[in-house]
Amino acid sequence: MAIRTGLRWKLSAAIALVGALVAVVLSLVVHNQARVSMLDSARDLADERIQIAQRSYEQSKRLNFPNATIDDPALPAALRDKVEEGRRATYVTNTSSGAPDIWAAVPLNDGHVLSLRTGWTDRSEHILNRLDQAMIIGSISVVVGGSALGVLIGGQLSRRLRKAAAAANQVASGEPDVRVRDAIGGVVRDETDDLASAVDAMADALQQRLDAERRVTADIAHELRTPVTGLLTAAELLPPGRPTELVLDRAKAMRKLVEDVLEVARLDSASERAELQDIMLGEFVSRRVAAKDPAIEVRVIHESAVTTDPRRLERVLFNLLANAARHGRPPIEVSVEGRVIRVRDHGPGFPEDLLADGPSRFRTGSSDRSGHGHGLGLTIAAGQARVLGARLTFRNVRPAGAPDHVQAEGAVAVLWLPEHAPTNTGSYPMLP
């Protein structure tokens, strides 16, 4: 299972970890250097004291210096070797308690060895302890401050990225006027601005291509309209017979295709506006379906008054019925519950790509629902639903608990009309 964490916490944790490592290493280095420096000072002091003790002994032939001894049996072997070489030296040993002892020794003229042993003072230990406490407090302060800085910087970057993601989603949902760079704002320019500019440039390029394709499609369909109308008129003048029926059928199909393509182009341009009327939804659907196909059963579970465009609503309803009749199997059932219209058939179900991506023009689905047609029926239904401010969804009916690979028992298209009439954009319901 993937663990999702915010950028600010990742950045804060990274800064805290680096700060902690640096603080620990620095504390150890400072502690060791301070201890070495204090031991060097103690050895220098012991060297000065042993020289004083040597002069005093050679003058008086008596040990009158504190802690000075002659031929001390506890003298470290390494220090004794240096003295036997005729050299004055100092040495540090560690005791069982962990506190060091500082030794100093010097050879005398009579062949004996004068040594001086000094213990690690409490004052030195206290200084080291205070230094360690200061380093601990400083390390904690560095970690806390670094974490707070990481949260601050990461939070700012995270907010900019979230704004960029929200703006990109708006562009993807069909709002071409949204610009990611304007959405993130800010005075500081960083890599986020470069990313936003690249996304804006990509969105502009894609929008230009889409607009060009829509214009070409609309222009072609518009240019075909006149010759197709002339072809249909000429075909109607042919003498009756089977060849004439075939020509008329194909000419009518071509005219319908041209009209559908023009309608899709108008819907894509987002220039369509709903002409609103108040209707009783259940009664409206029952009358329209009965006029279209009396064999289709309509159930009004709950009647509701709605404000919508009857012509566009009828277009959506008839396209859903045509799709169910063409690609599904009877019986076809229509139900009205409040503001929701459901159209169900008992065929093999919608193809998976339609369920995942929605209707797509000139795509009729998988082989089991291919049939005849050009794939514009559901595309037009979805476009008209957007003009009404409605939502059109698709799903397949499967036995309870059955996996996805099991054959569907039917397809259901659901039209959710908005609670409020669509605004002048023709795309979204009006909020109260």
Side-chain angles (χ1 to χ4, degrees):
M1 182 181 65
I3 300 177
R4 180 185 177 89
T5 57
L7 181 62
R8 68 168 65 183
W9 303 116
K10 292 179 181 178
L11 187 58
S12 176
I15 293 178
L17 180 60
V18 173
L21 290 176
V22 171
V24 169
V25 173
L26 185 61
S27 298
L28 291 176
V29 171
V30 171
H31 175 87
N32 290 333
Q33 289 298 321
R35 190 173 188 274
V36 170
S37 178
M38 294 176 68
L39 286 176
D40 289 341
S41 298
R43 293 177 69 173
D44 291 341
L45 179 60
D47 185 63
E48 293 178 0
R49 294 178 67 189
I50 196 64
Q51 294 182 59
I52 296 173
Q54 178 187 10
R55 289 194 295 269
S56 175
Y57 177 80
E58 291 178 346
Q59 290 175 2
S60 62
K61 302 301 181 181
R62 289 185 305 170
L63 286 176
N64 51 10
F65 198 88
N67 298 327
T69 57
I70 299 294
D71 296 332
D72 191 343
L75 190 68
L79 181 58
R80 186 182 298 276
D81 293 339
K82 294 293 183 182
V83 174
E84 289 177 354
E85 296 176 0
R87 301 170 58 184
R88 186 180 73 251
T90 59
Y91 193 75
V92 178
T93 60
N94 292 319
T95 62
S96 58
S97 63
D101 283 341
I102 295 89
W103 290 83
V106 63
L108 299 174
N109 295 331
D110 56 6
H112 295 285
V113 176
L114 175 65
S115 61
L116 184 65
R117 180 179 182 179
T118 305
W120 186 254
T121 62
D122 293 338
R123 181 174 178 274
S124 300
E125 189 68 29
H126 179 68
I127 293 174
L128 276 181
N129 290 336
R130 292 291 299 273
L131 179 62
D132 290 342
Q133 292 177 3
M135 294 300 299
I136 291 174
I137 294 174
S139 299
I140 294 175
S141 301
V142 169
V143 173
V144 173
S147 300
L149 183 62
V151 170
L152 181 63
I153 298 175
Q156 183 180 6
L157 182 59
S158 179
R159 283 192 299 271
R160 288 166 64 83
L161 290 176
R162 285 194 179 96
K163 290 180 180 179
N169 286 331
Q170 287 180 298
V171 174
S173 63
E175 299 183 38
D177 295 333
V178 176
R179 288 296 174 267
V180 179
R181 179 63 193 85
D182 296 335
I184 63 176
V187 178
V188 179
R189 296 291 184 264
D190 54 17
E191 288 80 0
T192 310
D193 296 88
D194 298 336
L195 175 62
S197 300
V199 173
D200 288 339
M202 179 182 66
D204 290 339
L206 291 176
Q207 188 63 39
Q208 291 174 3
R209 292 187 60 181
L210 288 175
D211 292 342
E213 291 178 1
R214 289 167 182 168
R215 285 195 300 270
V216 169
T217 302
D219 291 344
I220 293 175
H222 189 271
E223 293 297 327
L224 286 175
R225 198 176 198 178
T226 301
V228 168
T229 302
L231 177 62
L232 183 61
T233 302
E236 291 174 348
L237 299 176
L238 295 175
R242 181 59 180 167
T244 301
E245 293 177 359
L246 292 176
V247 172
L248 281 172
D249 179 70
R250 291 299 87 197
K252 291 178 180 179
M254 184 176 295
R255 184 177 65 178
K256 184 178 184 306
L257 173 59
V258 171
E259 295 296 335
D260 286 348
V261 171
L262 284 173
E263 185 173 359
V264 170
R266 290 193 300 269
L267 292 172
D268 286 343
S269 67
S271 61
E272 297 288 280
R273 297 293 179 264
E275 298 177 2
L276 304 177
Q277 295 182 24
D278 294 331
I279 61 172
M280 300 302 295
L281 187 60
E283 178 186 356
F284 176 86
V285 172
S286 298
R287 286 191 287 107
R288 293 299 190 273
V289 173
K292 177 73 172 177
D293 187 350
I296 298 177
E297 177 187 359
V298 179
R299 291 190 306 129
V300 180
I301 302 173
H302 175 66
E303 182 64 282
S304 176
V306 298
T307 302
T308 187
D309 187 329
R311 180 182 65 83
R312 297 183 188 278
L313 179 59
E314 180 183 273
R315 178 69 160 148
V316 174
L317 179 61
F318 283 2
N319 279 20
L320 295 180
L321 293 174
N323 183 80
R326 181 179 297 116
H327 301 295
R329 286 194 291 267
I332 298 174
E333 302 170 353
V334 179
S335 65
V336 180
E337 184 176 359
R339 299 174 179 275
V340 180
I341 303 174
R342 293 180 176 87
V343 177
R344 178 186 175 180
D345 63 56
H346 290 74
F350 291 113
E352 294 301 324
D353 53 357
L354 185 144
L355 297 178
D357 304 326
S360 178
R361 67 194 67 180
F362 302 111
R363 185 179 64 188
T364 58
S366 57
S367 58
D368 54 356
R369 286 182 65 91
S370 58
H372 301 284
H374 42 71
L376 292 180
L378 293 183
T379 302
I380 293 173
Q384 295 289 7
R386 285 194 298 272
V387 176
L388 296 175
R391 182 163 58 98
L392 184 59
T393 61
F394 306 92
R395 65 181 178 88
N396 290 334
V397 179
R398 287 187 172 86
D404 293 342
H405 66 272
V406 174
Q407 179 71 34
E409 296 180 344
V412 181
V414 185
L415 180 67
W416 311 73
L417 291 175
E419 183 177 356
H420 302 277
T423 66
N424 57 2
T425 64
S427 299
Y428 299 97
M430 181 185 301
L431 297 177

